[in-house]
Amino acid sequence: MSDLLLRALARDAGIQISAARTTGLVERARQIHSATPLATAALGRTLTATAIMGSQIKVPDGSVTVQVKGNGPLGAIVCVGDADGYVRGYLQDPSADLPLRADGKLDVGGGVGRGYLMVIKDIGLKDPVTGTVALVNGEIAEDLTRYFAESEQIPSACALGVLVNTDRTVKCAGGWLVQLMPGVQDKDIDRLEANLAKLQPMTAMLEQGMTLEEIVQAVLDGFDVDFLQTDAIGYRCACSREKVERALISMGKKELSQMAAEQEKSEVTCQFCDKIYTFSRGELQQLLAHAEK
């Protein structure tokens, strides 16, 4: 089954929702980074949320960057989502692991630790729009709920989940984000809260074979739902040799000169996709000449 993102709203109730199935893209990220189950869960949740948030950007070339920086063993998590819902991401230590929690679940909160969540949106303005909040518990979903409440003043609820097989592959992954629009009535909020209280976890619904439409209907049970659009999403890196060259030039003449002098060939690895770019000493010297102009 392909990865999909569905957008819908509750007709005449002022509630909008986005739901995503991200099993394929999270598995792709796991393969790229050779991640442990703990790292896969943390990165997968963040990638899912970033895909949803990226799809909300109205500018065609816009993007959103979600950074989770805690003091846990996983280190920083960085994910970038484009306006079409395609994402890429990495985390500082994909080999980090912790014992399971007392309830038998992966300890994502312990892996992330305490710190902050930052969201950077490129929406075509002169400067990106940035918002930062302290982490609630490092479980990602609750942290994003705080971000929307404090930085964007949008009452929201979020669920994110990654289920990992015993062989470390991703069995299923996905999430949903429901947000209240201005003017929503108290009775509709009460109905929504009652729905969320009895809702199954996202991975449980996916594991049962529920479609995104059925999951949205469960979240918005009792509302008239308008399904707006369904889009394919996935893992996509935007790296290129030209971008790597620009990054090398931006290092500065001193570092680039030292790099060229120390070895005959240098390798630069993309953090998002692990693609390796090789530069000979001559090529680095050409970049150095360009940097000196």
Side-chain angles (χ1 to χ4, degrees):
M1 297 175 69
S2 60
D3 292 341
L4 296 172
L5 192 145
L6 170 66
R7 296 176 61 198
L9 56 83
R11 190 183 311 142
D12 301 326
I15 302 171
Q16 61 182 5
I17 182 171
S18 296
R21 182 176 64 236
T22 57
T23 306
L25 70 86
V26 176
E27 170 62 15
R28 178 65 184 132
R30 182 199 70 81
Q31 293 171 359
I32 289 171
H33 301 296
S34 301
T36 63
L38 177 68
T40 298
L43 180 59
R45 292 181 190 182
T46 312
L47 283 167
T48 300
T50 304
I52 292 173
M53 296 170 69
S55 72
Q56 294 178 332
I57 293 176
K58 308 302 180 186
V59 182
D61 294 327
S63 66
V64 60
T65 300
V66 178
Q67 299 179 0
V68 181
K69 296 195 175 181
N71 61 1
L74 290 171
I77 304 171
V78 179
C79 295
V80 181
D82 298 322
D84 58 3
Y86 280 78
V87 291
R88 53 198 175 274
Y90 68 89
L91 71 176
Q92 201 166 345
D93 188 358
S95 66
D97 209 354
L98 287 174
L100 296 176
R101 300 185 328 198
D103 60 4
K105 295 184 178 181
L106 294 165
D107 189 7
V108 174
V112 170
R114 296 185 178 184
Y116 65 90
L117 179 146
M118 177 184 290
V119 175
I120 305 165
K121 292 186 177 182
D122 182 353
I123 53 176
L125 302 177
K126 183 179 180 181
D127 296 308
V129 179
T130 303
T132 305
V133 296
L135 294 173
V136 176
N137 56 12
E139 294 285 340
I140 311 301
E142 293 87 346
D143 306 310
L144 280 168
T145 299
R146 168 178 279 184
Y147 161 76
F148 282 111
E150 295 186 6
S151 290
E152 299 193 12
Q153 289 75 53
I154 303 175
S156 307
C158 181
L160 302 165
V162 177
L163 187 62
V164 181
N165 289 309
T166 54
D167 65 356
R168 296 193 168 197
T169 60
V170 177
K171 187 171 186 178
C172 60
W176 52 259
L177 173 68
V178 62
Q179 298 181 306
L180 305 183
M181 295 181 281
V184 63
Q185 298 182 31
D186 289 342
K187 66 179 180 63
D188 292 325
I189 297 175
D190 293 341
R191 177 183 290 175
L192 177 63
E193 289 178 343
N195 290 348
L196 299 184
K198 63 183 181 182
L199 199 67
Q200 296 181 80
M202 184 67 183
T203 50
M205 293 188 286
L206 288 171
E207 195 176 13
Q208 292 167 23
M210 290 177 65
T211 65
L212 292 181
E213 288 82 359
E214 291 169 337
I215 292 170
V216 167
Q217 289 282 13
V219 176
L220 299 181
D221 186 30
F223 294 97
D224 292 326
V225 181
D226 283 337
F227 294 103
L228 303 179
Q229 65 184 81
T230 302
D231 296 306
I233 56 174
Y235 194 100
R236 181 178 65 202
C237 186
C239 72
S240 66
R241 189 172 183 86
E242 290 73 25
K243 288 183 178 180
V244 174
E245 288 175 353
R246 290 200 296 269
L248 288 171
I249 291 172
S250 70
M251 289 169 50
K253 291 181 287 185
K254 182 178 178 180
E255 285 194 44
L256 193 55
S257 178
Q258 184 177 352
M259 192 174 173
E262 286 179 349
Q263 42 201 0
E264 188 64 37
K265 284 189 177 182
S266 299
E267 291 184 346
V268 180
T269 303
C270 174
Q271 289 180 296
F272 291 108
C273 70
D274 270 3
K275 184 174 180 179
I276 298 173
Y277 293 88
T278 303
F279 292 86
S280 66
R281 177 174 290 156
E283 288 172 327
L284 290 178
Q285 288 171 341
Q286 287 179 351
L287 293 178
L288 183 61
H290 184 78
E292 291 173 342
K293 288 181 180 180

